Amino acid sequence: MITKLFQGQDRLRACGWIAAFAMAATAVSAQTPAPRIRSEITNAEVTQLKPTQQALVPAEFDAGRMPSNTRLNGMSIAFNRTAAQQAGLEALLAAQQNPSSPFYHQWLNPDQFAARFGMSQADLDKVQTWLQQQGFSIDSVARSKNMIRFSGTVGQLELAFQTQMHYFKTSGEMHFAPSTVLSLPSAIASTVEAVGNLSDFRPKPMHVKARKGFTSGVSKNVFFAPGDIATTYDINPLYTAGVTGTGQSIAIVGQSAIQTNDIENFESAAGLPMKDPVMVLVPGSGTSTIVSGGDEGESDLDVEWSGAIAKGATINFVYVGNDPNQSAFSALIYAIDEKIAPIISSSYGACETAVQLNGGFATFESAFQQAAAQGQTILAASGDQGSTACSGDTVNGLTTTQQFAEAVNYPASSAYVTAVGGTAISTANDNSSNTTYWSINGTQDVLNSAKIYIPEVVWNDSSAQFGLSASGGGVSAEFAKPSYQTGVPGIPSDGKRDVPDVSLYSSPDLPGYLFCSSDQSDWIAASTSGPAQAASCNSGFRDGTSGGQYLTIAGGTSFAAPIFAGMLALINQKQEWTAGQGQANIALYKLAGNSTTYGSAFHDVTSGNNNCNAGTTFCGTTTGGFSAGTGYDLATGLGSVDLNVLAGAWPANATPLLGTTTTVSAATSAPDVSANDTVTITVAESNGTGTPTGTVNLSIDGSGTTFGAGGSTLTPVTLTSNGTATYTANFATAGAHTIVAQYAGDSTHVASTGSIVISVGGTSSGKGTIKMGMTPATLTVSRGAQGSESLAITPSGGYTGSVNLTYSTSNDSALANLCVFAGTNVNQDGSITISNASAVTGIITIDTNAADCVNTTGAALKGRGLHVIPRSGGSAKASNNVPKRSNPIPAGIAFAGLLIAGFLGKSSRKLRQLACVIALASLGLMLTACGGGVSGNTVSDPAKGTYTITFAGADSTNSAITAQSSFSLVID
């Protein structure tokens, strides 16, 4: 085979190819990894992890130790690869992207990747056994066999890894993380990449709100709807040719659940085909929860705009639940490990400095290499803070110097990720009076008003008043320049990874994007007193509740990334890359390196910069940045695209397989615990009438149903003659359970993935979601007094039912004697009943008087008409075994009595008898003066300070339907 392959070629070149072929062949072989753990795993010999292998927060932010009984779910141990595995993987990645290689675009599935690049089964068994010996439960083993996820208490974690878990207060927020470097048995230390998911520092969404209220039919302001982007970036010819993304799938990652009616409203307003995203809840990440304050809005816009561009594609929304130590980055790794889709888009990130402080890059880079080997393309927003990506990041404990230094965001800066930056249109073109670019129709809205491509400049709306609002771009401090980043004028010879790769319109003001969301933090506010907008997209794109004058508008590279993800789905369909194309940057830079193609397929942005010009508050003394120029630049990368031309120039698949779509359905969407539920997997051709054949691998909650030591994958189920297969699911625990079905493909059909989340323990009538909000945002209560909070639960999607309430605090130790009582609209059992589509507001009493809060159960409370809302993970009963409340005057008298008694006791027997009387009297004073307790017990009111109180609500029969909201409690 090799002789024929190189017949007639230069011998030196042939020798090189023989070596590469041999390495790649070794990489894809199914040989079993050799065991690496040679000795017994014991806690007697331990090794400290490197600081870059876990998150550490500066000590000055320490706010005290976490309670040892606090439970943490979904912690993880990630394993590294051997030198031979890494060399083989890198050889494979090169071969997969070389058209001359027999491995060109021959992607692996997760199980094939695990067979060559994962840990041995024997090693996984040993580590799991050790974890279980420490008291942990095993949640799952990654499909790639390079990570074990486990759960347990803080006390178990501290003992097993010889650390302490503390709270840290940074930038007014309370977080938790290890306070010291972890240690682990020396027998496994050399195999461990990192120990993760030990903190609740989450990445931030990268979208920014518009600064003006749009009433386009009145004010003539312009904004982008999906049809405008189809016009400006020349997508319409592809639609006309039937290229809509059919047969393609995109995974959007997030850290909040969404309400599908927002997606439907967007599609209806934009005139798009109606389709809901496939919801994929990351197993072991908690219950599905809507998180307002930016996360819900981020998820909405990412799903809406990726689907708006790839109208025929399947949009998979991969998100995490309410466990605070899980994030959008957890969803990203899960989307890779289960190969949810060939295209993954992330609008979350953090500056490289913060990532380095919070555990480093190794785990993510390992996952991104896995994605490349599996043919997955990852896109990430480059960020919205211009050249100073770390500005304002006090949450992660960055110093002032670090915040104001030039920096770029991660994962955009990874060489395995396509970084998408931002552009804007000039102010001269940002109004409907410029009829060269915009159409108007009197006082009526024009849905798709852009007429032609509108020239772009670097997005930079930064100002001292509003802060940073500019395209992220610059030079990576962590990664070397990848081999593909060459051949285009303007690319710096800096030896570093340069960001971004491409850019698209991103400004929230020039002109801003329309989207639909129930996240009120993204609604237009008329003043600082609160939002004037009362709803989103309940009358087309407008808020009909407020008289139809408000639209929901934002900007940021969070729009650019999912839009480019949709564009890549169209390219994949047109050029028949049905299985994906892996690292898109390789083809992207090769095309841009051809001057003719660059001139026609790209819009070279040559004006503007991403300088830090928002004043000293946001920039310190930094004013520099990067300017646009001919060719590549560090503000907009290669520029934007003419998609029709770019798609036509993109390399085509010479031997395409037929595309497939895998869907998963269940006989019962919400079965009872331990009840059989028939799950049907259907594999169909995306464009055609043929029937795929072969097998489907199932992953249940991140592992196969034969889960045990090693978490092996379920024995494949075989498709019948009609392209279907069935599986009988039976879950012993209530809650959300995620089933991922991966069709392996056959000789003519490409592999594809489908999924479903089954809500066990509920009823099918439990459809819908709930959202929770609390006012005021900050409640101030005098120590020993009471205050009231309003808790509103808003149903959607037809939800009705009973919502059980629990609460948690940022410091259970300090708030041991805090209690929460149910008031108006809250039932005696601490629940709120939702009977129709209207929101219900309950009144909650926050009591900081310890005397009210001890022994707060049973008849004593009922006699007072009080009903306690329980704390999550603990009892509602306050502790009466805490330090006693001080009372200086009686205590001083008592001490003086004892002192006198002591002196008198040195004299005669009669005086000593008097001393005893005085001592007993003094003791009596002490016993009566330090009171305040109940039934003779002594307690202290909660300490003064600022705390975070989080309420969670879960449907009484379906725990997958949940929501949460927080407020700040100030005890003064």
Side-chain angles (χ1 to χ4, degrees), residues 534-714:
S536 175
C537 298
N538 60 3
S539 178
F541 276 119
R542 294 191 174 279
D543 167 23
T545 307
S546 301
Q549 61 177 324
Y550 289 104
L551 302 166
T552 309
I553 300 166
T557 53
S558 280
F559 284 89
I563 288 173
F564 198 65
M567 290 178 171
L568 282 177
L570 302 184
I571 292 174
N572 284 356
Q573 181 190 354
K574 177 176 175 58
Q575 298 300 359
E576 299 188 275
W577 294 114
T578 48
Q581 56 181 287
Q583 300 176 74
N585 284 352
I586 294 174
L588 196 66
Y589 279 88
K590 186 174 182 181
L591 289 169
N594 181 306
S595 59
T596 301
T597 304
Y598 186 67
S600 59
F602 294 82
H603 300 297
D604 188 7
V605 179
T606 59
S607 178
N609 60 64
N610 68 350
N611 291 356
C612 195
N613 24 339
T616 56
T617 300
F618 302 97
C619 306
T621 58
T622 301
T623 57
F626 304 98
S627 298
T630 302
Y632 182 92
D633 58 68
L634 291 167
T636 62
L638 298 170
S640 68
V641 300
D642 181 307
L643 188 63
N644 183 49
V645 178
L646 182 65
W650 206 275
N653 190 351
T655 56
L657 296 175
L658 296 172
T660 65
T661 301
T662 296
T663 56
V664 186
S665 60
T668 304
S669 60
D672 292 332
V673 172
S674 299
N676 287 342
D677 191 14
T678 300
V679 176
T680 302
I681 303 99
T682 303
V683 184
E685 286 185 1
S686 303
N687 290 300
T689 58
T691 303
T693 61
T695 58
V696 177
N697 290 328
L698 296 183
S699 174
I700 315 296
D701 287 340
S703 293
T705 57
T706 55
F707 172 73
S712 56
T713 302
L714 177 72

Side-chain angles (χ1 to χ4, degrees), residues 273-290:
M274 299 294 287
K275 60 177 181 181
D276 286 343
V278 177
M279 309 292 283
V280 184
L281 176 63
V282 176
S285 66
T287 54
S288 177
T289 303
I290 291 175

Side-chain angles (χ1 to χ4, degrees), residues 298-624:
E298 182 63 70
S299 300
D300 288 330
L301 70 91
D302 287 2
V303 169
E304 290 165 0
W305 275 92
S306 58
I309 303 304
K311 297 184 286 187
T314 298
I315 308 300
N316 301 272
F317 179 52
V318 186
Y319 68 107
V320 294
N322 62 351
D323 282 349
N325 57 324
Q326 307 296 318
S327 71
F329 284 171
S330 306
L332 176 58
I333 290 178
Y334 183 77
I336 294 169
D337 196 53
E338 295 289 348
K339 199 177 180 180
I340 298 295
I343 299 171
I344 304 174
S345 178
S346 171
S347 291
Y348 284 83
C351 74
E352 286 185 334
T353 308
V355 175
Q356 185 66 268
L357 291 175
N358 280 282
F361 307 89
T363 302
F364 301 114
E365 288 297 288
S366 178
F368 296 162
Q369 287 182 328
Q370 178 184 346
Q374 295 176 169
Q376 294 174 288
T377 304
I378 304 174
L379 303 105
S382 72
D384 303 340
Q385 294 180 277
S387 61
T388 51
C390 296
S391 177
D393 190 349
T394 56
V395 172
N396 287 295
L398 271 60
T399 66
T400 301
T401 300
Q402 290 171 327
Q403 292 179 51
F404 295 146
E406 290 181 353
V408 295
N409 279 303
Y410 186 82
S413 63
S414 172
Y416 299 99
V417 172
T418 298
V420 188
T423 65
I425 64 178
S426 69
T427 54
N429 300 332
D430 181 36
N431 58 80
S432 57
S433 62
N434 191 326
T435 55
T436 300
Y437 299 112
W438 302 97
S439 297
I440 59 172
N441 185 24
T443 59
Q444 300 299 312
D445 292 341
V446 180
L447 180 60
N448 301 315
S449 52
K451 298 165 66 174
I452 57 174
Y453 168 70
I454 307 172
E456 296 161 274
V457 299
V458 179
W459 165 41
N460 193 343
D461 303 333
S462 300
S463 69
Q465 179 181 2
F466 294 107
L468 293 171
S469 179
S471 174
V475 180
S476 171
E478 301 293 335
F479 302 106
K481 189 178 294 296
S483 59
Y484 59 73
Q485 203 163 32
T486 185
V488 181
I491 295 179
S493 56
D494 50 15
K496 297 290 187 179
R497 164 73 163 125
D498 296 318
V499 176
D501 297 303
V502 294
S503 293
L504 300 175
Y505 298 117
S506 295
S507 171
D509 295 321
L510 299 168
Y513 282 94
L514 292 166
F515 72 112
C516 301
S517 178
S518 296
D519 193 334
Q520 296 184 27
S521 69
D522 285 311
W523 292 358
I524 299 297
S527 68
T528 57
S529 62
Q533 184 176 341
S536 175
C537 298
N538 60 3
S539 178
F541 276 119
R542 294 191 174 279
D543 167 23
T545 307
S546 301
Q549 61 177 324
Y550 289 104
L551 302 166
T552 309
I553 300 166
T557 53
S558 280
F559 284 89
I563 288 173
F564 198 65
M567 290 178 171
L568 282 177
L570 302 184
I571 292 174
N572 284 356
Q573 181 190 354
K574 177 176 175 58
Q575 298 300 359
E576 299 188 275
W577 294 114
T578 48
Q581 56 181 287
Q583 300 176 74
N585 284 352
I586 294 174
L588 196 66
Y589 279 88
K590 186 174 182 181
L591 289 169
N594 181 306
S595 59
T596 301
T597 304
Y598 186 67
S600 59
F602 294 82
H603 300 297
D604 188 7
V605 179
T606 59
S607 178
N609 60 64
N610 68 350
N611 291 356
C612 195
N613 24 339
T616 56
T617 300
F618 302 97
C619 306
T621 58
T622 301
T623 57

